[in-house]
Amino acid sequence: ERKRREAEAAKLRKLQEEIEEEEMEKLKKIREEQDRERKRREAEAAKLRKLQEEMERERRKREEEERRRKQEAEERRLLAEMEERRKREEEAERKRLEEEERQRMKQIEADRLIAEKLEGEERERE
């Protein structure tokens, strides 16, 4: 009876050890699967971060390009304004010079007429 009980206890111990080994193996597999899943999630997160960074760079690039286009358009507008103002000033100066020339010519003509009149009067007196 004692030997039978000891043999049964030994079988139970062996069975318990086998069960524990199986449980340890299952736990090991679960941990490995969890580790693989964690690594996969980390890789996905890294890809997502990289994609977001790329999108942010593209957004900044587009914004910078838009700022540059607006600045260039403003510079062109200002240059056009300056050119228009210069043309108006040149036209005004040209008209002023023409008017001065007309006035000078009138004055020369008036002086000539006065001189002719004075010469005529001078001849009459002689």
Side-chain angles (χ1 to χ4, degrees):
E1 180 66 25
R2 186 175 58 80
K3 282 186 180 181
R4 188 186 59 75
R5 280 196 307 266
E6 286 175 0
E8 202 170 293
K11 274 185 190 176
L12 283 174
R13 275 193 305 276
K14 187 174 181 183
L15 186 59
Q16 183 67 32
E17 286 174 5
E18 287 174 3
I19 290 172
E20 286 176 4
E21 281 180 28
E22 285 176 11
E23 289 297 318
M24 292 296 280
E25 196 60 35
K26 284 180 186 176
L27 284 174
K28 183 180 172 186
K29 286 182 181 179
I30 289 171
R31 277 192 219 102
E32 288 171 352
E33 180 59 32
Q34 288 173 339
D35 197 39
R36 281 193 297 274
E37 183 63 23
R38 179 184 52 76
K39 286 179 181 176
R40 186 190 62 75
R41 282 193 312 269
E42 287 172 356
E44 280 182 12
K47 274 187 195 176
L48 184 58
R49 274 192 307 279
K50 191 174 180 181
L51 181 61
Q52 287 171 333
E53 289 168 359
E54 181 63 27
M55 289 170 68
E56 181 64 19
R57 277 193 297 279
E58 287 296 319
R59 183 187 63 75
R60 282 194 301 271
K61 187 177 171 183
R62 284 191 308 275
E63 287 173 353
E64 183 58 34
E65 182 64 23
E66 182 64 23
R67 264 194 302 279
R68 189 185 59 73
R69 278 197 309 274
K70 284 180 180 178
Q71 183 178 356
E72 287 173 355
E74 180 65 11
E75 288 171 0
R76 285 191 302 273
R77 185 188 68 75
L78 289 172
L79 284 172
E81 264 182 31
M82 289 168 61
E83 181 65 16
E84 187 60 34
R85 183 171 51 243
R86 185 188 62 76
K87 285 179 181 178
R88 283 193 310 267
E89 289 171 355
E90 284 177 358
E91 182 64 19
E93 179 66 9
R94 186 186 60 76
K95 287 181 179 180
R96 185 186 67 75
L97 291 172
E98 286 175 358
E99 183 59 28
E100 281 180 7
E101 182 65 14
R102 269 195 300 279
Q103 292 299 324
R104 196 171 67 73
M105 294 305 278
K106 278 183 181 179
Q107 187 61 46
I108 289 171
E109 184 61 21
D111 290 348
R112 188 185 61 77
L113 291 174
I114 290 171
E116 283 178 7
K117 183 179 176 186
L118 290 175
E119 279 178 24
E121 289 174 359
E122 184 66 31
R123 275 191 300 258
E124 256 178 52
R125 271 185 265 154
E126 289 176 4

